[in-house]
Amino acid sequence: MSKKIHDSLAELVGHTPLVRLHGYEEKLGLKAHILAKVEYFNPIGSIKDRIVLRIIEEAEKAGKIKPGKTTLVEYTSGNTGIAVSAIGAIKGYKVRIYLQDGVSHERLLVMKAFGADVTKISEVPELQDALAATNNDFVAATNILKQHIRDRQAAGDDIYFVDQMINPLNPVAHHDTTGKEIWEDTEGNVAAVVASVGTAGTIRGIADYIHEKNGGKTKIFAVEPAETDTKLTGIHNFTEVPAERIPPSLKEDGGVTKKVFDEVFVADTDGAFDAARTVAKTDGVLVGNSSGAALWGATIIAKREEFAGKNIVVVFPDTGLRYLSTTLFGE
Ligand code: PMP
């Protein structure tokens, strides 16, 4: 029997539903079945609850962090910072989040509501310089931040860098939970999975799990923004960037590995926004712009004859409620 009273919200991470988007399929005349993995059912509201819980729990087991003593630090565009703030609050850690400028204001307020200390990148001169020099590159800024953190650790501060970009537990968490759930909930009947890419933890973990199960029969599709796109937030281009900006989860021999996905789409920004706006109206599923990008990609695939009558899983990382002050749903 499932537990009725939980000891904390941390127990409710994962096990999100797969929901068939009947209304969207009908409106677009699609023959494939589009199954949305609706990650806003996670208790803090996004897919990042999974990786943050796993990273914190493993660090605790390894004795690297202690409640009441260690400060958890992360550099993030939003969802991971929100998850670190809330799970840090649940477990009794201080949290410091370095936030990119331009991220929706409600995200900053949510982190503060959970008690985190939020620092904007523009307030840290070394990071601002790194971003300016690299066209707002996440990986470069993370490297500079890492040095900043190492310096503080050397000075005796008890801080732990969550570091979702290179932490190997990011894809592992998705392998063990997101990928496994997709496989089990479809009973292995999944022709394709579509996910948008930021750190690539999601796509890597899901692909690894499903490949282990059926050796590449399920096709994996990645969606990335154009390198110049500034409207699709939380996700990053990885095919047109220098090698040092390829996320470690997708990198092999200095380039993008061929082992994770079968095809990559560069998202059409308007198409991604339209998909998010449409699915809110057709199915009552209110999601963010990276979900819109994934759904835009899933729609292209769904029109291919080979997927007629088959299940396409599309990952929806977060809720549209986190984008009300942006142009996605704003007036
Ligand atoms: N969508 C949103 C809203 C995100 O915050 C992220 C992570 N930055 C992603 C998609 C991409 O997930 P991943 O980092 O696992 O590739």
Side-chain angles (χ1 to χ4, degrees):
M1 204 168 70
S2 72
K3 206 170 161 185
K4 300 271 188 210
I5 297 177
H6 298 276
D7 288 309
S8 88
L9 280 183
E11 291 183 2
L12 296 166
V13 173
H15 307 287
T16 56
L18 267 185
V19 179
R20 178 134 176 224
L21 301 179
H22 284 288
Y24 187 85
E25 287 171 22
E26 201 172 308
K27 183 171 166 85
L28 276 88
L30 304 175
K31 286 189 251 162
H33 304 169
I34 305 214
L35 310 181
K37 180 83 171 146
V38 189
E39 289 294 308
Y40 66 62
F41 275 83
N42 279 297
I44 322 301
S46 88
I47 196 163
K48 295 296 182 176
D49 295 8
R50 297 173 183 272
I51 67 162
V52 168
L53 183 65
R54 181 69 181 261
I55 290 169
I56 293 178
E57 288 189 344
E58 296 282 341
E60 283 182 327
K61 271 191 232 151
K64 291 181 186 160
I65 58 175
K66 290 215 166 42
K69 289 200 157 155
T70 312
T71 300
L72 307 175
V73 175
E74 183 60 325
Y75 171 54
T76 168
S77 62
N79 284 324
T80 304
I82 291 173
V84 175
S85 303
I87 296 175
I90 291 169
K91 291 181 170 284
Y93 293 94
K94 282 178 274 179
V95 173
R96 174 166 308 114
I97 302 297
Y98 291 93
L99 199 63
Q100 268 169 298
D101 293 74
V103 165
S104 71
H105 189 59
E106 57 261 44
R107 292 180 181 233
L108 183 147
L109 296 181
V110 171
M111 292 178 218
K112 286 196 166 165
F114 287 126
D117 167 7
V118 183
T119 306
K120 282 197 179 168
I121 295 299
S122 56
E123 292 159 9
V124 186
E126 307 96 286
L127 293 178
Q128 190 55 25
D129 293 347
L131 281 174
T134 58
N135 190 19
N136 283 327
D137 173 34
F138 193 85
V139 181
T142 309
N143 289 336
I144 308 272
L145 179 59
K146 225 176 284 172
Q147 190 52 48
H148 187 72
I149 289 170
R150 268 192 229 114
D151 293 346
R152 290 188 41 199
Q153 283 167 329
D157 287 4
D158 184 352
I159 45 184
Y160 178 79
F161 190 22
V162 172
D163 206 355
Q164 62 168 339
M165 185 53 88
I166 66 149
N167 198 317
L169 291 168
N170 172 353
V172 166
H174 286 296
H175 170 279
D176 293 356
T177 70
T178 328
K180 183 168 189 278
E181 289 166 28
I182 290 171
W183 182 258
E184 290 178 354
D185 292 348
T186 57
E187 297 172 344
N189 186 5
V190 52
V193 178
V194 189
S196 49
V197 173
T199 66
T202 303
I203 198 158
R204 174 74 203 234
I206 293 173
D208 283 353
Y209 189 90
I210 293 183
H211 286 156
E212 278 161 30
K213 288 291 174 188
N214 72 1
K217 257 178 79 191
T218 300
K219 300 285 175 249
I220 309 287
F221 295 90
V223 179
E224 64 174 356
E227 219 238 316
T228 49
D229 194 323
T230 52
K231 285 175 86 184
L232 292 174
T233 50
I235 55 178
H236 308 281
N237 183 286
F238 62 92
T239 60
E240 301 163 66
V241 297
E244 65 272 18
R245 287 170 57 186
I246 301 170
S249 285
L250 288 180
K251 197 167 170 180
E252 195 178 56
D253 299 330
V256 174
T257 177
K258 302 219 179 318
K259 290 186 192 141
V260 177
F261 56 85
D262 295 273
E263 204 174 324
V264 55
F265 297 113
V266 178
D268 163 43
T269 317
D270 293 338
F273 274 52
D274 273 355
R277 290 172 184 146
T278 301
V279 74
K281 296 188 178 75
T282 54
D283 296 85
V285 181
L286 189 72
V287 289
N289 61 53
S290 68
S291 305
L295 183 56
W296 168 85
T299 308
I300 296 175
I301 300 155
K303 290 178 180 161
R304 294 183 181 168
E305 210 43 53
E306 64 177 296
F307 294 112
K310 303 215 172 121
N311 289 336
I312 297 174
V313 169
V314 56
V315 179
F316 283 172
D318 68 358
T319 167
L321 292 175
R322 287 190 180 160
Y323 300 81
L324 293 181
S325 68
T326 75
T327 53
L328 182 58
F329 297 115
E331 286 161 324

